Amino acid sequence: MMTKALNLLWLWGLTASGAGLPPAVRSAAERIRQAALSGSGAAGIVQSLCDHVGPRLAGSAGSRAAVAWALEQMRGLGLENVRAEKMREPRWERGVETAEIVAPAMQPLAVTALGGSPATSPEGLEADVVSTENVESLHALLARDPSAVRDRIVFYSEKMTRQSDGSGYGKTVNIRWAGPTEAARAGAAAVLIRTVGTSSNRLPHTGVMKTGPEIPLVPAAALSAPDADLLERLVREGKTIRVRLILTCRTLPDVAGSNVIGELSGSERPREIVLLGAHLDSWDLGTGALDDAAGVGVVLETARILSRLPKRPKRTLRVVLFANEENGGRGAAAYRDAHRPEMSEHVAALEMDLGADRVRAFSWLAGGTSEPALSEVAALLSPLEITAKKPEASGGADIGGLREFGVPLLDLSQDASRYFDFHHSADDTFDKIDPKQLDQAVAAAATVAYCIADMPERPAPIPEEKRKAQE
Amino acid sequence: MMTKALNLLWLWGLTASGAGLPPAVRSAAERIRQAALSGSGAAGIVQSLCDHVGPRLAGSAGSRAAVAWALEQMRGLGLENVRAEKMREPRWERGVETAEIVAPAMQPLAVTALGGSPATSPEGLEADVVSTENVESLHALLARDPSAVRDRIVFYSEKMTRQSDGSGYGKTVNIRWAGPTEAARAGAAAVLIRTVGTSSNRLPHTGVMKTGPEIPLVPAAALSAPDADLLERLVREGKTIRVRLILTCRTLPDVAGSNVIGELSGSERPREIVLLGAHLDSWDLGTGALDDAAGVGVVLETARILSRLPKRPKRTLRVVLFANEENGGRGAAAYRDAHRPEMSEHVAALEMDLGADRVRAFSWLAGGTSEPALSEVAALLSPLEITAKKPEASGGADIGGLREFGVPLLDLSQDASRYFDFHHSADDTFDKIDPKQLDQAVAAAATVAYCIADMPERPAPIPEEKRKAQE
């Protein structure tokens, strides 16, 4: 309580000195926050994208349908300068994916190919399994015996832990990203990973693996947690485990895709841009409700709310629905390339891509002179039970690349406790959306977007020494 | 408390009068109960069946492997008269199962064929969807318009409710059992049902539909709950929904199968049989951990415990692992046929087939003179937090048919709160087993089996007027 009282005094002092948010901006932000919290249209937007478009992996018919959907939605919401900015996107198709234990006893396995995986031969690939925890333990194994995995199927068994900030994902995802190529380099025949997720059902989570012209590749798939548990039990019994894997996935030539962009032009400084991003593509297994129709719903609903204000904010709000976040990041790259000349006019960027649950924390990365104003924005979020958080913001996959241009980054970190139960799996469907939590996220995003767009001073750019992303 | 005290007095009176369990039986039962509760081998048996045999649908290679496994297990446990009693079992194979919404917008659906379903043509079947809740509402629809479902795909949307006694299943399962044939009779092209289960993931639950020489059939499949929700939302939008369904399932000629039987011969009245049953087969999607490896584990572990007693119980304990419970009940029928001459020697039958969680209630159906002794058995279960329950026992799918012969039936009703999250789905796997709860079920089954096998008077047969199963 003491801290809160001190904060309030400090805020009052700042405002009085003119360094923060003017009272009119603060009170407008409070009204926006309250209105969104009492019921937004975000869940309806999410439902429309899930039900009327469905899965929308880059390169698929769903991806094209999503672009058409997004253009129509933006126009319907009254956004301006609505356009599809063309880019090229990859086209990887899943095909058939089956696996079974053939020894010690026949048993089907629930698998899903990792994005970018090559196919096995049509009749499948059969090999003995060698089990290791992660890439580090693979290297330790190879140091003892360089032929340990040759012609084998490498099974990475590392378990992701459930954390409200989703940090378990970052700690484990390397088995999916680098695991296949590290095993390929050592002569493995194929790779199976324990699903990188927290679900305990038999729906494995897909996701992209490292690929590229110089990257050795082998067929790679994720096992659901129960199937990984089964393999681990058989490994503990000391039996030779033989698995057959059939994947018919394939990479086809790149095709045309689009980032979809719409704006609310600023009333006083229209060249200054507040970027609000989410990604339009999704994995193919589910309907991408949490990843990232939810983000799409939050940013579009935020734009709708701000479009209905009696007076337009000073700066332009630009909603960018990025293409191909999931397996290539080509949308983000295309945006950076196309908008390089106006990078210095990007006053801040916020990306929503951590599911549909409530926002827990607000953080930022900007020049030090903006601390007071951004702290005031943070204070406006505290009725939503959102705390101002250190460390500084890092942006997400789509806006993180703006850091090198000094564009201030804002993070609204959502509760990710249950996100990784569904993320990248067939279970990422609309029924998992909790409209109340989504409304809280809209309230947060709309509050932040409005304040940044209408505050007197634009946030200061990221200092040069902080423009390199930390590993 | 009052009731309990009165019960104790009443029990004491009965024992003193010689109508109940002798103190030696009671104290032996208490030791058995306590030993099982402190840790049994049941989970290990379940694991072995799941991991070393896996799915074991009637007619499959897994079914044959399960018979070999069961014979080996019984011999290893020291049972006597271990044998495979031959019968014929059906052979239905699942094949490919895919479905997609083709209008208003393309979208894959998670489906699984119902057991016994015929195939669609290889390229699939495409038709408009007509939605109805259940068989009753279908009939109401047909009364208004007899052509309402002709050439359509009938979608039954009824939801199963979660109940600790599993009663939601019985109230809903008719959409699976009778739904397809009722729709076929009215000229439907195919049937989709909302999964009969309580899971909210995209793993639909299979199960048997009504088939037979005179039964009209159409291809029929279950949709996962999220997919059923999606169809319902589209129905509410009033759009014409068109679905394509591909099923390649097929029914092949019957093959040889076996009930697997082992015994502990009684020390005084070896011709009198206490039957302990579970079923060895499982659906093909998961590994049948809960349905019914758990039951197999409980009855085999019960036999093991009783085989280690210093003195054999008076009567014979017969463990029967039934074949083909899931899609035909041929194991139960074969047992009745083969053992008809000794039906009157069956002093009681108990079946374990409601998952792996703790037993909540004990009930029985026997002649009235056995009430005092069976109430005493019930009292021995109360430290396990098991209540004596009315209405009377009904047996399960495998032993219910013994009722017509007057064989006393005993039910140990398990907590089914989460059973239908997994039952008949790909998610019925060993990781769902809670060994502590399974031990409690073993403690209950061993207590009951021992008491019945060693009590002075065998339970009185079911009176004639109660031998017909109630609908």
Side-chain angles (χ1 to χ4, degrees), chain B residues 3-38:
Chain B
T3 313
K4 201 166 176 183
L6 284 173
N7 273 343
L8 288 172
L9 278 172
W10 177 70
L11 287 174
W12 178 83
L14 285 170
T15 311
S17 76
L21 300 179
V25 171
R26 276 224 305 281
S27 61
E30 282 164 352
R31 283 193 301 275
I32 289 167
R33 185 188 69 208
Q34 208 44 48
L37 196 62
S38 67

mmCIF file of all heavy atoms in Angstrom, chain B residues 3-38:
data_model
loop_
_atom_site.group_PDB
_atom_site.id
_atom_site.type_symbol
_atom_site.label_atom_id
_atom_site.label_comp_id
_atom_site.label_asym_id
_atom_site.label_seq_id
_atom_site.Cartn_x
_atom_site.Cartn_y
_atom_site.Cartn_z
ATOM 1 N N THR B 3 -26.203 -43.663 13.183
ATOM 2 C CA THR B 3 -26.442 -44.765 12.256
ATOM 3 C C THR B 3 -25.295 -45.771 12.321
ATOM 4 O O THR B 3 -25.502 -46.981 12.364
ATOM 5 C CB THR B 3 -26.547 -44.208 10.816
ATOM 6 O OG1 THR B 3 -27.407 -43.094 10.850
ATOM 7 C CG2 THR B 3 -27.078 -45.252 9.863
ATOM 8 N N LYS B 4 -24.083 -45.252 12.340
ATOM 9 C CA LYS B 4 -22.922 -46.126 12.353
ATOM 10 C C LYS B 4 -22.915 -46.999 13.614
ATOM 11 O O LYS B 4 -22.693 -48.208 13.548
ATOM 12 C CB LYS B 4 -21.646 -45.266 12.289
ATOM 13 C CG LYS B 4 -20.433 -46.021 11.808
ATOM 14 C CD LYS B 4 -19.318 -45.065 11.448
ATOM 15 C CE LYS B 4 -18.070 -45.821 11.053
ATOM 16 N NZ LYS B 4 -16.975 -44.888 10.782
ATOM 17 N N ALA B 5 -23.173 -46.326 14.747
ATOM 18 C CA ALA B 5 -23.182 -47.065 16.009
ATOM 19 C C ALA B 5 -24.253 -48.161 15.985
ATOM 20 O O ALA B 5 -24.014 -49.306 16.390
ATOM 21 C CB ALA B 5 -23.433 -46.091 17.167
ATOM 22 N N LEU B 6 -25.406 -47.815 15.453
ATOM 23 C CA LEU B 6 -26.479 -48.800 15.377
ATOM 24 C C LEU B 6 -26.076 -49.978 14.484
ATOM 25 O O LEU B 6 -26.317 -51.134 14.804
ATOM 26 C CB LEU B 6 -27.763 -48.145 14.835
ATOM 27 C CG LEU B 6 -28.504 -47.261 15.846
ATOM 28 C CD1 LEU B 6 -29.650 -46.516 15.175
ATOM 29 C CD2 LEU B 6 -29.032 -48.124 17.021
ATOM 30 N N ASN B 7 -25.455 -49.607 13.343
ATOM 31 C CA ASN B 7 -24.990 -50.655 12.428
ATOM 32 C C ASN B 7 -24.041 -51.627 13.118
ATOM 33 O O ASN B 7 -24.119 -52.831 12.932
ATOM 34 C CB ASN B 7 -24.246 -50.031 11.239
ATOM 35 C CG ASN B 7 -25.214 -49.658 10.119
ATOM 36 O OD1 ASN B 7 -26.350 -50.140 10.105
ATOM 37 N ND2 ASN B 7 -24.769 -48.809 9.220
ATOM 38 N N LEU B 8 -23.127 -51.047 13.909
ATOM 39 C CA LEU B 8 -22.131 -51.891 14.576
ATOM 40 C C LEU B 8 -22.804 -52.856 15.551
ATOM 41 O O LEU B 8 -22.497 -54.044 15.595
ATOM 42 C CB LEU B 8 -21.084 -51.027 15.287
ATOM 43 C CG LEU B 8 -20.117 -50.309 14.327
ATOM 44 C CD1 LEU B 8 -19.241 -49.323 15.080
ATOM 45 C CD2 LEU B 8 -19.259 -51.332 13.570
ATOM 46 N N LEU B 9 -23.772 -52.320 16.278
ATOM 47 C CA LEU B 9 -24.502 -53.167 17.233
ATOM 48 C C LEU B 9 -25.213 -54.304 16.501
ATOM 49 O O LEU B 9 -25.191 -55.457 16.903
ATOM 50 C CB LEU B 9 -25.558 -52.329 17.986
ATOM 51 C CG LEU B 9 -25.013 -51.528 19.163
ATOM 52 C CD1 LEU B 9 -26.092 -50.590 19.702
ATOM 53 C CD2 LEU B 9 -24.526 -52.481 20.262
ATOM 54 N N TRP B 10 -25.800 -53.897 15.357
ATOM 55 C CA TRP B 10 -26.568 -54.845 14.568
ATOM 56 C C TRP B 10 -25.628 -55.931 14.023
ATOM 57 O O TRP B 10 -25.906 -57.117 14.091
ATOM 58 C CB TRP B 10 -27.252 -54.054 13.446
ATOM 59 C CG TRP B 10 -28.053 -54.843 12.463
ATOM 60 C CD1 TRP B 10 -29.243 -55.476 12.685
ATOM 61 C CD2 TRP B 10 -27.734 -55.063 11.097
ATOM 62 N NE1 TRP B 10 -29.684 -56.078 11.543
ATOM 63 C CE2 TRP B 10 -28.781 -55.841 10.542
ATOM 64 C CE3 TRP B 10 -26.676 -54.684 10.272
ATOM 65 C CZ2 TRP B 10 -28.788 -56.231 9.203
ATOM 66 C CZ3 TRP B 10 -26.691 -55.075 8.951
ATOM 67 C CH2 TRP B 10 -27.739 -55.846 8.428
ATOM 68 N N LEU B 11 -24.473 -55.511 13.546
ATOM 69 C CA LEU B 11 -23.503 -56.465 13.022
ATOM 70 C C LEU B 11 -23.044 -57.421 14.127
ATOM 71 O O LEU B 11 -22.924 -58.626 13.937
ATOM 72 C CB LEU B 11 -22.274 -55.740 12.451
ATOM 73 C CG LEU B 11 -22.512 -55.016 11.111
ATOM 74 C CD1 LEU B 11 -21.275 -54.223 10.718
ATOM 75 C CD2 LEU B 11 -22.879 -56.027 10.028
ATOM 76 N N TRP B 12 -22.802 -56.845 15.271
ATOM 77 C CA TRP B 12 -22.338 -57.643 16.391
ATOM 78 C C TRP B 12 -23.378 -58.708 16.718
ATOM 79 O O TRP B 12 -23.075 -59.881 16.903
ATOM 80 C CB TRP B 12 -22.056 -56.743 17.599
ATOM 81 C CG TRP B 12 -21.621 -57.534 18.798
ATOM 82 C CD1 TRP B 12 -20.359 -57.978 19.078
ATOM 83 C CD2 TRP B 12 -22.466 -58.017 19.843
ATOM 84 N NE1 TRP B 12 -20.337 -58.699 20.230
ATOM 85 C CE2 TRP B 12 -21.618 -58.746 20.729
ATOM 86 C CE3 TRP B 12 -23.836 -57.918 20.131
ATOM 87 C CZ2 TRP B 12 -22.119 -59.362 21.888
ATOM 88 C CZ3 TRP B 12 -24.316 -58.527 21.287
ATOM 89 C CH2 TRP B 12 -23.456 -59.236 22.143
ATOM 90 N N GLY B 13 -24.647 -58.272 16.714
ATOM 91 C CA GLY B 13 -25.751 -59.195 17.002
ATOM 92 C C GLY B 13 -25.798 -60.337 16.000
ATOM 93 O O GLY B 13 -25.923 -61.514 16.348
ATOM 94 N N LEU B 14 -25.610 -59.970 14.711
ATOM 95 C CA LEU B 14 -25.670 -60.974 13.654
ATOM 96 C C LEU B 14 -24.559 -61.999 13.815
ATOM 97 O O LEU B 14 -24.768 -63.203 13.677
ATOM 98 C CB LEU B 14 -25.514 -60.300 12.295
ATOM 99 C CG LEU B 14 -26.747 -59.540 11.811
ATOM 100 C CD1 LEU B 14 -26.394 -58.711 10.597
ATOM 101 C CD2 LEU B 14 -27.875 -60.524 11.500
ATOM 102 N N THR B 15 -23.368 -61.470 14.061
ATOM 103 C CA THR B 15 -22.216 -62.355 14.172
ATOM 104 C C THR B 15 -22.405 -63.312 15.344
ATOM 105 O O THR B 15 -22.164 -64.517 15.240
ATOM 106 C CB THR B 15 -20.942 -61.518 14.364
ATOM 107 O OG1 THR B 15 -20.964 -60.497 13.367
ATOM 108 C CG2 THR B 15 -19.722 -62.369 14.202
ATOM 109 N N ALA B 16 -22.882 -62.721 16.416
ATOM 110 C CA ALA B 16 -23.118 -63.539 17.603
ATOM 111 C C ALA B 16 -24.122 -64.653 17.286
ATOM 112 O O ALA B 16 -24.005 -65.774 17.751
ATOM 113 C CB ALA B 16 -23.647 -62.651 18.726
ATOM 114 N N SER B 17 -25.090 -64.319 16.401
ATOM 115 C CA SER B 17 -26.109 -65.328 16.095
ATOM 116 C C SER B 17 -25.652 -66.297 15.013
ATOM 117 O O SER B 17 -26.387 -67.188 14.626
ATOM 118 C CB SER B 17 -27.408 -64.637 15.656
ATOM 119 O OG SER B 17 -27.263 -64.159 14.330
ATOM 120 N N GLY B 18 -24.460 -66.057 14.425
ATOM 121 C CA GLY B 18 -23.919 -67.010 13.464
ATOM 122 C C GLY B 18 -24.367 -66.807 12.037
ATOM 123 O O GLY B 18 -23.975 -67.547 11.150
ATOM 124 N N ALA B 19 -25.177 -65.742 11.749
ATOM 125 C CA ALA B 19 -25.687 -65.570 10.395
ATOM 126 C C ALA B 19 -24.725 -64.824 9.487
ATOM 127 O O ALA B 19 -24.946 -64.744 8.295
ATOM 128 C CB ALA B 19 -27.019 -64.813 10.442
ATOM 129 N N GLY B 20 -23.658 -64.248 10.021
ATOM 130 C CA GLY B 20 -22.783 -63.391 9.217
ATOM 131 C C GLY B 20 -21.420 -64.000 8.995
ATOM 132 O O GLY B 20 -21.298 -65.206 8.759
ATOM 133 N N LEU B 21 -20.403 -63.112 9.006
ATOM 134 C CA LEU B 21 -19.035 -63.568 8.785
ATOM 135 C C LEU B 21 -18.388 -63.950 10.102
ATOM 136 O O LEU B 21 -18.428 -63.177 11.056
ATOM 137 C CB LEU B 21 -18.207 -62.444 8.157
ATOM 138 C CG LEU B 21 -18.654 -61.886 6.811
ATOM 139 C CD1 LEU B 21 -17.707 -60.762 6.384
ATOM 140 C CD2 LEU B 21 -18.702 -62.980 5.754
ATOM 141 N N PRO B 22 -17.747 -65.088 10.192
ATOM 142 C CA PRO B 22 -17.027 -65.447 11.413
ATOM 143 C C PRO B 22 -15.883 -64.458 11.652
ATOM 144 O O PRO B 22 -15.338 -63.918 10.687
ATOM 145 C CB PRO B 22 -16.457 -66.838 11.104
ATOM 146 C CG PRO B 22 -17.201 -67.324 9.903
ATOM 147 C CD PRO B 22 -17.664 -66.127 9.160
ATOM 148 N N PRO B 23 -15.534 -64.252 12.929
ATOM 149 C CA PRO B 23 -14.445 -63.307 13.238
ATOM 150 C C PRO B 23 -13.165 -63.615 12.477
ATOM 151 O O PRO B 23 -12.476 -62.686 12.055
ATOM 152 C CB PRO B 23 -14.254 -63.468 14.749
ATOM 153 C CG PRO B 23 -15.581 -63.965 15.231
ATOM 154 C CD PRO B 23 -16.161 -64.806 14.138
ATOM 155 N N ALA B 24 -12.842 -64.861 12.254
ATOM 156 C CA ALA B 24 -11.596 -65.202 11.559
ATOM 157 C C ALA B 24 -11.632 -64.712 10.116
ATOM 158 O O ALA B 24 -10.624 -64.224 9.591
ATOM 159 C CB ALA B 24 -11.367 -66.717 11.584
ATOM 160 N N VAL B 25 -12.789 -64.826 9.484
ATOM 161 C CA VAL B 25 -12.925 -64.335 8.107
ATOM 162 C C VAL B 25 -12.816 -62.821 8.104
ATOM 163 O O VAL B 25 -12.120 -62.231 7.272
ATOM 164 C CB VAL B 25 -14.267 -64.806 7.498
ATOM 165 C CG1 VAL B 25 -14.518 -64.130 6.154
ATOM 166 C CG2 VAL B 25 -14.286 -66.326 7.340
ATOM 167 N N ARG B 26 -13.482 -62.206 9.075
ATOM 168 C CA ARG B 26 -13.435 -60.748 9.138
ATOM 169 C C ARG B 26 -12.011 -60.259 9.327
ATOM 170 O O ARG B 26 -11.569 -59.321 8.667
ATOM 171 C CB ARG B 26 -14.321 -60.222 10.263
ATOM 172 C CG ARG B 26 -15.780 -60.070 9.867
ATOM 173 C CD ARG B 26 -16.350 -58.739 10.373
ATOM 174 N NE ARG B 26 -16.148 -58.631 11.808
ATOM 175 C CZ ARG B 26 -16.923 -59.246 12.706
ATOM 176 N NH1 ARG B 26 -17.940 -60.003 12.318
ATOM 177 N NH2 ARG B 26 -16.685 -59.083 13.986
ATOM 178 N N SER B 27 -11.285 -60.873 10.226
ATOM 179 C CA SER B 27 -9.936 -60.357 10.478
ATOM 180 C C SER B 27 -8.997 -60.679 9.324
ATOM 181 O O SER B 27 -8.143 -59.865 8.970
ATOM 182 C CB SER B 27 -9.394 -60.851 11.819
ATOM 183 O OG SER B 27 -9.327 -62.258 11.799
ATOM 184 N N ALA B 28 -9.189 -61.805 8.669
ATOM 185 C CA ALA B 28 -8.378 -62.084 7.473
ATOM 186 C C ALA B 28 -8.678 -61.051 6.387
ATOM 187 O O ALA B 28 -7.773 -60.544 5.719
ATOM 188 C CB ALA B 28 -8.649 -63.499 6.963
ATOM 189 N N ALA B 29 -9.973 -60.725 6.234
ATOM 190 C CA ALA B 29 -10.371 -59.737 5.219
ATOM 191 C C ALA B 29 -9.731 -58.380 5.499
ATOM 192 O O ALA B 29 -9.281 -57.685 4.592
ATOM 193 C CB ALA B 29 -11.893 -59.619 5.170
ATOM 194 N N GLU B 30 -9.692 -58.036 6.769
ATOM 195 C CA GLU B 30 -9.092 -56.741 7.126
ATOM 196 C C GLU B 30 -7.602 -56.701 6.786
ATOM 197 O O GLU B 30 -7.070 -55.689 6.332
ATOM 198 C CB GLU B 30 -9.314 -56.436 8.611
ATOM 199 C CG GLU B 30 -10.736 -55.937 8.861
ATOM 200 C CD GLU B 30 -11.154 -55.993 10.333
ATOM 201 O OE1 GLU B 30 -10.392 -56.563 11.161
ATOM 202 O OE2 GLU B 30 -12.247 -55.492 10.641
ATOM 203 N N ARG B 31 -6.926 -57.812 7.028
ATOM 204 C CA ARG B 31 -5.493 -57.859 6.695
ATOM 205 C C ARG B 31 -5.292 -57.760 5.177
ATOM 206 O O ARG B 31 -4.396 -57.087 4.706
ATOM 207 C CB ARG B 31 -4.867 -59.143 7.235
ATOM 208 C CG ARG B 31 -4.605 -59.115 8.743
ATOM 209 C CD ARG B 31 -3.695 -60.257 9.182
ATOM 210 N NE ARG B 31 -4.258 -61.578 8.865
ATOM 211 C CZ ARG B 31 -5.131 -62.251 9.641
ATOM 212 N NH1 ARG B 31 -5.549 -61.725 10.786
ATOM 213 N NH2 ARG B 31 -5.573 -63.429 9.285
ATOM 214 N N ILE B 32 -6.130 -58.469 4.442
ATOM 215 C CA ILE B 32 -6.046 -58.426 2.964
ATOM 216 C C ILE B 32 -6.256 -57.006 2.470
ATOM 217 O O ILE B 32 -5.506 -56.484 1.646
ATOM 218 C CB ILE B 32 -7.110 -59.377 2.348
ATOM 219 C CG1 ILE B 32 -6.699 -60.824 2.587
ATOM 220 C CG2 ILE B 32 -7.347 -59.086 0.876
ATOM 221 C CD1 ILE B 32 -7.814 -61.840 2.319
ATOM 222 N N ARG B 33 -7.294 -56.379 2.999
ATOM 223 C CA ARG B 33 -7.632 -55.011 2.597
ATOM 224 C C ARG B 33 -6.448 -54.080 2.847
ATOM 225 O O ARG B 33 -6.052 -53.297 1.980
ATOM 226 C CB ARG B 33 -8.840 -54.551 3.425
ATOM 227 C CG ARG B 33 -9.403 -53.212 3.063
ATOM 228 C CD ARG B 33 -10.460 -52.808 4.079
ATOM 229 N NE ARG B 33 -9.840 -52.516 5.367
ATOM 230 C CZ ARG B 33 -10.444 -52.663 6.562
ATOM 231 N NH1 ARG B 33 -11.694 -53.110 6.639
ATOM 232 N NH2 ARG B 33 -9.797 -52.362 7.665
ATOM 233 N N GLN B 34 -5.857 -54.212 4.042
ATOM 234 C CA GLN B 34 -4.788 -53.303 4.419
ATOM 235 C C GLN B 34 -3.541 -53.511 3.566
ATOM 236 O O GLN B 34 -2.884 -52.557 3.145
ATOM 237 C CB GLN B 34 -4.476 -53.479 5.912
ATOM 238 C CG GLN B 34 -3.939 -52.238 6.556
ATOM 239 C CD GLN B 34 -4.717 -50.977 6.136
ATOM 240 O OE1 GLN B 34 -5.951 -50.943 6.155
ATOM 241 N NE2 GLN B 34 -3.977 -49.949 5.721
ATOM 242 N N ALA B 35 -3.241 -54.773 3.307
ATOM 243 C CA ALA B 35 -2.040 -55.081 2.522
ATOM 244 C C ALA B 35 -2.182 -54.526 1.103
ATOM 245 O O ALA B 35 -1.259 -53.906 0.564
ATOM 246 C CB ALA B 35 -1.817 -56.585 2.479
ATOM 247 N N ALA B 36 -3.346 -54.713 0.489
ATOM 248 C CA ALA B 36 -3.549 -54.232 -0.884
ATOM 249 C C ALA B 36 -3.463 -52.713 -0.935
ATOM 250 O O ALA B 36 -2.851 -52.133 -1.836
ATOM 251 C CB ALA B 36 -4.901 -54.704 -1.413
ATOM 252 N N LEU B 37 -4.062 -52.076 0.071
ATOM 253 C CA LEU B 37 -4.099 -50.617 0.081
ATOM 254 C C LEU B 37 -2.706 -50.023 0.194
ATOM 255 O O LEU B 37 -2.426 -48.944 -0.330
ATOM 256 C CB LEU B 37 -4.970 -50.162 1.257
ATOM 257 C CG LEU B 37 -5.443 -48.716 1.215
ATOM 258 C CD1 LEU B 37 -6.322 -48.455 0.003
ATOM 259 C CD2 LEU B 37 -6.207 -48.387 2.500
ATOM 260 N N SER B 38 -1.834 -50.728 0.890
ATOM 261 C CA SER B 38 -0.499 -50.160 1.093
ATOM 262 C C SER B 38 0.401 -50.364 -0.122
ATOM 263 O O SER B 38 1.557 -49.982 -0.107
ATOM 264 C CB SER B 38 0.121 -50.759 2.354
ATOM 265 O OG SER B 38 0.363 -52.125 2.128
#
